[in-house]
Amino acid sequence: MAATGSEQEGTRAYYVSTPIYYVNDAPHLGHAYTTVAGDVLTRWHRQRGEKVWYLTGTDEHGQKIMRTAEANGVTPQEWCDKLVEESWKPLWEHLRIANDDFIRTTEKRHTDRVREFVQDLYDRGEIYRGGYEGPYCVPCEEYKTYGELLDGEGEWEGQKLCPIHKKPVEMLKEENYFFKLSAYAEKLLAHYEAHPEFIQPESARNEVVQFVRQGLEDLSISRSTFDWGVKIPWDDKHVIYVWIDALLNYATAVGYGSDQKKFEETFPADVHLVGKDILRFHAVIWPAMLMANGLPLPKRVAANGWLMVGGEKMSKSNLTGISPHELTDHFGVDAYRWYFLRAIAFGQDGSFSWEDFSARYTSELANDYGNLASRVAAMVGKYFDGALPEATGHGEAEQAIADGLARAAREADEKIGEQLDFAGGIAAVFDFIKQVNGYLTEQAPWKVAKDTSAEAQERLATILYTAAESLRACAVLLNAVMPESSAKLWETLGAEPALGPLSEQRIADAGQWGRLPAGTKVTKGAALFPRLEETK
Ligand code: MSP
């Protein structure tokens, strides 16, 4: 977990959340996709010098978890404890996720506050008792409308299927408590209108607006046929609907009802990252709950697309056996973090393929970036005894590199830091890397080195300084995406004694030319991105 700088006490945090994941099973590539994206976003903002709060966690109540635990012969709490400690937290650590907190919905700090929140809505007249009958999808933990159901085929002939899970829905009939969601349609539409940035991307926003325009039904917010959940405070025969319970994590984890100061410094979220499957919960129900309670709304709900396998949303059942660990074993953690954000436009669906990952790893990470770093380090070692020379002949070709860097840094900041266009931001840095490689090919320092004249040696020094200074900037600009290789490169360049730790290099300064002083001790470390083993 990352510490938040104490010098920033009292200022508002840039608050980013992931969905809290169901712990019915171990995390897979799809969960890791959203969590890595949030980690890159928050690391980027930290490196801008901002105070940041990055929250993730687990959603542990509801029927889905209860049934899984039953099927495994343990209590739901035992099941959740085991999965969280043995699967979820270790994976986030392995992937270098620097979350500031991890909330579990079975924690008392959460359940007590959920009860208070719901009681408050009840006291305000926002909740009433009523009956409901309809098709329910347990994997979604959601009532479906008849119109959206699919007709089953084969083994499910004659049954109605959930459009997301392609599994039969169950008919439920219950006496429940209802939240007056229908009263919020107009207010929500007005909010979307006044804050066009509230839902991203544009296609997701349009979908939500369309949906709300058709009018909203009141929402059943309690269940009485099972008891794995937070009890309704005024009627303990009911548990609170798992989605109401879950959405509230974004408030309870940052001090709602317990630490007013922290709450004010953090809430509401700057960005709720969500998969598009759960967009409506975050862009319709969650803001309506907050309006009903008089709390401020999040600034942005950003929907990522789905990682697909064989044309379907990747899920535990159609993963074809690939786990995040399998990929990190082969490609390394940094490359894993980089690949999904680099290869898929955030907000769009994308397919994972082992071949595409290998090809991009080899061409962009190993050849373009890794080789550049090792060649430059080797030449500074060979020609200048590892002491970074001075660039006394900075000319037109060097200025083109300096300008290219300034452009790349600006673009990466705009795209990653503001637009959540990770692919675009990373591409800006890798285009710059290509430019530096082109510069080296043109300048051919290995040829210049053969001429021992003072003039040629000066030229050689300028070329190698230019390449090393470019790498200094790459380490800073790629640190949020690939912290391990960036740290290695920082070490290789001998940058720390002169410039301080990598984590303290500010994004705003990254594009400024000439920060790395001559004289740093350049060493040739291990390859940043070793050649892949031929096992696959
Ligand atoms: N527990 C709810 C969320 C509650 S948030 C208040 C839930 N959990 S989940 O375990 O099903 O995880 C859903 C999230 O995982 C998605 O919204 C998405 O962020 C991520 N993904 C799961 N599968 C995915 C893909 N195949 N592709 C991309 N992201 C995916 O829903």
Side-chain angles (χ1 to χ4, degrees), residues 18-24 28-35 58-59 64 88 139-140 165 243 246-250 273-278 282 304-308 312-315:
T18 70
I20 49 170
Y21 303 102
Y22 288 128
V23 282
N24 56 310
H28 61 63
L29 298 181
H31 305 124
Y33 178 57
T34 310
T35 310
T58 43
D59 190 354
K64 169 150 132 170
W88 289 82
C140 284
H165 292 92
W243 268 101
L247 287 163
L248 283 168
N249 92 88
Y250 303 129
L273 288 174
V274 299
K276 64 177 185 176
D277 46 332
I278 58 171
H282 287 81
N304 60 254
W306 286 341
L307 297 186
M308 308 286 281
E312 296 276 330
K313 171 175 176 255
M314 184 179 285
S315 68

Side-chain angles (χ1 to χ4, degrees), residues 254-300:
V254 294
Y256 169 76
S258 65
D259 182 347
Q260 190 57 20
K261 180 168 175 289
K262 170 154 184 129
F263 190 62
E264 278 166 15
E265 285 171 12
T266 321
F267 198 83
D270 291 83
V271 182
H272 286 307
L273 288 174
V274 299
K276 64 177 185 176
D277 46 332
I278 58 171
L279 177 64
R280 284 185 198 170
F281 292 103
H282 287 81
V284 180
I285 297 175
W286 176 228
M289 285 164 64
L290 293 171
M291 284 175 175
N293 204 281
L295 288 172
L297 306 198
K299 307 226 173 61
R300 188 152 38 149

